[in-house]
Structure formats: structure tokens, C-alpha cells
Amino acid sequence: MPSGLVALFDDVAVIARAAAASVDDIAAAAGRAGSKTAGVVIDDAAVTPSYVTGLSPARELPIIWAITKGSLFNKLIILLPGAILLSEFLPWLIIWILMLGGAFLCYEGAEKVMEKLGGAKHGKTVEDEITDPAAFEKQRIAGAVRTDLILSAEIMAITLSELDLAVWWERAAALAIVAVAVTVVVYGAVAIIVKMDDVGLALTKKDSSTAQNFGHFLVNAVPKLLIALSFIGTIAMLWVGGGIIVHGTHEVGFDLLYDIAHGAEYWIAGVTGALSGVAGWFTYAAISGVIGLALGAVIAFVLHKVIGYEGAH
């Protein structure tokens, strides 16, 4: 019996070491894969503040919390199981789903550009008179969660493509780690951004002149920051959406867009010397954005002029 117990303890120790190694592998893989999603994370953080702009300050944090819960639901309940199932049984379908998401981002971004250029608005915006604040708040949350679903799908797809874990549950654990970490970072940053003016207002009431000056700076800076983020968010939608289309069409055998974007990237990189990396990347991003804008404009035209869809965001 003692020898049997010793053998059992040895087996348990081996299993524990194997489990610890798996945890280390998952954490390392999650870290490597998560770093690849930085661009989409920035896009997500830039887009989201627009969904609380113009609403009651008292409702800002509750709205962000509602969007955060929606984002976690998107990633952990909808996308994670779907990503694992697709990677196991239908890996070829992932690229087509990504391109559908990319096309949606192109449409959203192009519609915002057309509205800024004087085109017709589709759906309520914060500039319109709000007759039912509760319903409008639900509408804004739904719009944010819908956009988050597309961006989250891209984050999860990028993460999945970077994982080198053979066992499905290890991939699932790594995806879950990235999903939670990205959500906390994005919506934590958004909460800070949208409450900066309230912090500034509180500082203006302090006795310290330094605190008052900094408070006035924050109060004056926040509106400009939100305008800048709205602009960045629109550009990000077009850049990310167009990039998904460029990469996706290449993956399915249509190389024209890929060759144009990367050909220009390599040419600019070759003539800019020390700035080759940055200049090449910006060239590729700009061409992806133009492609996204063109595709989004076509989709918007078909939806609004041909089908007659008026939009819900």
C-alpha cells in the first residue's frame, strides 16, 4: 500500500507538472497573440466614445458598463465557441465570415464620411432631438455592441491565427484570456476618456491654483478629444475593414487588391530609407482605407438607394 500511494503521488505530481506547463503555454500564447491585436484594440477604443457623446453625464458609466457586458458576451459566448468549432471543423469558412465583418465596417465608416460631406443621415444621431432618452440610450448601446461584435470577431480571428496550440481547450483558454484582457483595457480607457470632463470640473473647485488650471485644461480638452476620437474611429473602421477585405480576397485567390496595396507599400518602403517601415505601413493602411471607403460607399448606395434600408444606428 505505501508503494502504491507513492506511485499515485508520483502520477499526481506528473499530472500537476503537465498542467502547469499547459498553463504556461496558454499564457505565453495568449500574450503573443494578444499583442497582434493592438491595432484593432486601438480602433475599438477610438470608436466607442462616440456612443455616449451627447448623452447625460450621469448615464455615461452605466452605458459603458452595458456595452462592456455586451462585449464580453460577444467574445466569450458567441465568438469563442464559434471560433473553436470553426477551427476544428470548418477552418475555410473563417475567412468568409471575416470578410462579411470587414464589409460591415467599411459600410459604417463610409456612411459616416458621406454624412459629414452632406449626405443624408440614416437613423438617429446625437445631433437630433431626443424625445425618448431611454429608447435612444438602448439604441446607442445596441449600435455599440453591434460594432463591437465585428471588431471583437477580428480580434478573436487574429488571436486564433497566431496561436500554435494543438489542443482545442488550450486555444479556448488563450482566446478567453485575450478576450477579457482586451475588453478591460478598451472599456477602462473609454470610461476614463468620457469622465475626464467631470474630473476636470471637480478640480476647478479645488483651492489649489494648479488643480484649477489643470481642471480647466481637462474641461476644454475633452470636447476636442472626442471630436478627434470620432474622426480616428471613422478612419479606423475604413482601415480595418479595407484591410480585412484586402487580406481576405488574397486568401481566396483574388490577388488584385492585395498586389496593389502591398506593391505600393514595398515601393514606398524602398524609396524612403530610414523611414521605410513607417512609410510602408502608412501606405498600406491608406490604400486599405481607400478600398474600404469605396466598398462601403457601394454597399451604402445599394442599401439606401436600391433596397431602401434607412439604418438603425
Side-chain angles (χ1 to χ4, degrees):
M1 181 66 69
S3 62
L5 284 174
V6 170
L8 176 60
F9 289 147
D10 285 344
D11 291 341
V12 170
V14 170
I15 294 171
R17 285 196 297 270
S22 295
V23 170
D24 288 343
D25 290 343
I26 291 168
R32 290 193 302 270
S35 66
K36 299 292 185 179
T37 68
V40 185
V41 169
I42 293 170
D43 302 337
D44 206 352
V47 169
T48 306
S50 65
Y51 289 97
V52 296
T53 304
L55 299 177
S56 169
R59 296 299 304 157
E60 288 173 343
L61 291 182
I63 290 172
I64 292 171
W65 174 235
I67 297 172
T68 302
K69 291 188 291 183
S71 179
L72 287 172
F73 184 87
N74 286 341
K75 293 181 179 74
L76 298 178
I77 306 301
I78 298 176
L79 295 172
L80 192 153
I84 296 301
L85 289 173
L86 287 175
S87 68
E88 286 287 314
F89 302 110
L90 296 170
W92 59 269
L93 189 59
I94 295 175
I95 193 65
W96 293 101
I97 295 174
L98 281 176
M99 283 198 287
L100 283 175
F104 175 80
L105 288 177
C106 293
Y107 158 69
E108 288 269 291
E111 189 170 73
K112 291 180 185 296
V113 171
M114 290 187 291
E115 289 177 359
K116 290 295 184 183
L117 295 177
K121 295 180 180 179
H122 301 280
K124 283 187 174 294
T125 70
V126 294
E127 288 82 14
D128 298 322
E129 182 181 357
I130 302 173
T131 56
D132 188 342
F136 187 68
E137 180 179 311
K138 291 180 180 179
Q139 178 188 0
R140 301 295 288 181
I141 293 171
V145 173
R146 184 178 67 242
T147 300
D148 174 271
L149 178 63
I150 306 302
L151 293 172
S152 294
E154 179 65 3
I155 289 169
M156 300 293 271
I158 292 172
T159 303
L160 189 63
S161 69
E162 293 294 327
L163 294 176
D164 56 358
L165 301 171
V167 183
W168 71 266
W169 68 263
E170 292 182 343
R171 295 198 300 275
L175 283 171
I177 291 171
V178 172
V180 173
V182 165
T183 302
V184 170
V185 169
V186 168
Y187 293 104
V190 169
I192 292 172
I193 290 170
V194 300
K195 298 308 290 183
M196 282 172 59
D197 54 348
D198 291 341
V199 173
L201 185 61
L203 289 174
T204 62
K205 300 176 182 179
K206 299 292 185 180
D207 295 332
S208 169
S209 60
T210 301
Q212 292 176 6
N213 291 335
F214 186 62
H216 286 298
F217 168 77
L218 289 179
V219 170
N220 293 327
V222 167
K224 297 176 183 178
L225 176 61
L226 291 175
I227 292 172
L229 285 175
S230 177
F231 174 78
I232 293 170
T234 300
I235 297 300
M237 285 181 178
L238 296 172
W239 161 42
V240 175
I244 293 172
I245 298 300
V246 169
H247 175 72
T249 51
H250 171 67
E251 287 292 315
V252 299
F254 180 75
D255 297 327
L256 178 61
L257 299 177
Y258 184 90
D259 291 343
I260 291 173
H262 281 286
E265 176 188 5
Y266 298 146
W267 183 81
I268 291 295
V271 299
T272 50
L275 297 176
S276 59
V278 174
W281 182 87
F282 272 108
T283 300
Y284 176 78
I287 293 176
S288 296
V290 171
I291 291 171
L293 178 60
L295 175 61
V298 171
I299 295 173
F301 176 82
V302 172
L303 286 177
H304 301 314
K305 301 299 183 182
V306 178
I307 299 176
Y309 173 71
E310 289 302 317
H313 61 279

